[in-house]
Amino acid sequence: RRQGDIVARFGGEEFVVLLPVTNKLGAAVMAERIRAAIESRVTVVDGRHIPVTASIGIATLAAEKVESIDQLLNTADRRLYLAKNAGRNRICVSDDGRASFGGS
């Protein structure tokens, strides 16, 4: 984490990562690193391996046509659900869902 970056729980199982000096490509690279790190972590409960993965929706203030932070968050949330609907355990950076990639 760099100075100025912020990670916060947004609600339930959702988190927000604010990267103030990062473009969309940089955000996608960071999101993929986070996704892969979560997937690779071994989680054991009562002696059983439990797979844990993350689906991530990306929106950047500079790249989106939004007028408020709420609209930006709605864009990220919409993309989160596109990532989930595309098979989960992936990131999504566009509304058409084609710019989506991730693990197995």
Side-chain angles (χ1 to χ4, degrees):
R1 187 172 85 98
R2 301 167 305 187
Q3 186 174 355
D5 292 349
I6 299 170
V7 177
R9 185 173 180 192
F10 194 63
E13 298 173 342
E14 295 181 350
F15 294 81
V16 173
V17 179
L18 302 174
L19 308 169
V21 292
T22 305
N23 63 20
K24 197 170 205 175
L25 176 60
V29 169
M30 179 61 75
E32 178 55 21
R33 286 181 185 161
I34 291 168
R35 188 209 60 76
I38 291 169
E39 180 183 38
S40 70
R41 184 160 175 88
V42 175
T43 304
V44 179
V45 176
D46 294 331
R48 290 183 24 215
H49 177 263
I50 306 296
V52 178
T53 61
S55 298
I56 301 172
I58 297 170
T60 60
L61 193 56
E64 314 306 335
K65 292 181 169 89
V66 296
E67 297 179 12
S68 70
I69 295 301
D70 284 338
Q71 288 177 339
L72 186 67
L73 289 170
N74 286 336
T75 299
D77 194 53
R78 185 171 59 249
R79 292 174 183 166
L80 162 65
Y81 284 95
L82 285 169
K84 286 182 176 186
N85 291 334
R88 299 184 178 266
N89 192 28
R90 61 188 58 244
I91 70 167
C92 182
V93 298
S94 71
D95 288 331
D96 63 14
R98 288 183 296 179
S100 174
F101 57 93
S104 52

